[in-house]
Amino acid sequence: ALGGRGLLAVAVASGAAAWATWAVLLMPGFRRVPLRLQVPYQPSSPRQVANALALLRGRAGKTVDLGSGDGRLVLEAYKQGLRPALGYELNPWLLCLANYRAWRAGYHGNVSFLKKDLWKVNLSDCHNVIVFLAPSVKPPLATKLLAELPDDARVVAGRFPFPSWTPSSTLGQGLEQVWAYDMKEVRREAQ
């Protein structure tokens, strides 16, 4: 029996731990990003990763993960032969974790994790783009991707589809669902 003071102490400690986690791990990536474009870190499940990479099977060319988090999608892309494979992430703690995971997997030096704002990078040489971001980010990101990606590029979205695009294919259901968009078809539809 903890009693009233014990419960209060547990509640205060839990709140302090939650705040510390937010302040140290999650907030650094949000400092320079407008509130409407902020995306919280939410790791992809093994099934989401498998589904996303299944929609890129047999493709070649540069593969990027926008908002790569802990790097699991980039590492799996490299493992399945998609090269070069790199991730863009603003959160320095997640970049450290991604680089540690790459080192542990034996891929350090073969994959790259860059601290860059996805809105400021040029994607014109990317042929495979992975996007596991919030719905609020999808409309402005769709504009950027349409302007920069080559016609033979494929965009794979997880968790949420692009609202104004029709997918070329989809895999999975519910939270595990991913959508693939071929830029040539997206552009043809937009005209």
Side-chain angles (χ1 to χ4, degrees):
L2 289 174
R5 286 184 187 210
L7 286 174
L8 180 61
V10 168
V12 168
S14 298
W19 177 84
T21 300
W22 169 256
V24 173
L25 295 178
L26 302 175
M27 190 56 189
F30 291 143
R31 288 196 179 118
R32 286 185 255 151
V33 178
L35 186 61
R36 70 181 182 83
L37 299 179
Q38 291 181 5
V39 179
Y41 169 62
Q42 187 175 9
S44 305
S45 72
R47 176 54 44 204
Q48 287 172 326
V49 172
N51 287 347
L53 274 295
L55 292 178
L56 294 176
R57 192 168 291 127
R59 293 186 52 84
K62 184 176 180 181
T63 301
V64 299
D65 182 8
L66 303 178
S68 58
D70 63 9
R72 63 185 69 199
L73 284 158
V74 173
L75 294 174
E76 189 60 30
Y78 180 81
K79 185 177 175 183
Q80 293 190 19
L82 293 165
R83 296 183 180 132
L86 67 124
Y88 293 116
E89 176 60 55
L90 284 177
N91 187 315
W93 299 102
L94 292 173
L95 283 170
C96 287
L97 179 57
N99 281 307
Y100 169 74
R101 291 177 64 142
W103 171 79
R104 197 165 162 218
Y107 301 153
H108 185 70
N110 296 318
V111 296
S112 300
F113 297 100
L114 305 173
K115 184 178 180 185
K116 291 193 175 181
D117 184 341
L118 68 90
W119 303 105
K120 296 177 181 173
V121 297
N122 184 344
L123 302 172
S124 62
D125 64 342
C126 300
H127 297 277
N128 305 299
V129 178
I130 303 169
V131 181
F132 275 61
L133 297 172
S136 61
V137 176
K138 296 290 174 75
L141 184 58
T143 302
K144 177 179 175 59
L145 296 174
L146 274 168
E148 295 180 15
L149 291 178
D151 273 348
D152 64 343
R154 175 173 270 193
V155 176
V156 174
R159 293 198 185 98
F160 305 100
F162 281 89
S164 60
W165 292 359
T166 302
S168 308
S169 57
T170 184
L171 186 61
Q173 294 192 5
L175 292 176
E176 312 299 335
Q177 188 170 8
V178 293
W179 298 263
Y181 304 93
D182 293 320
M183 292 311 296
K184 192 172 195 174
E185 292 177 26
V186 170
R187 285 191 177 103
R188 185 178 11 223
E189 200 175 276
Q191 292 176 349

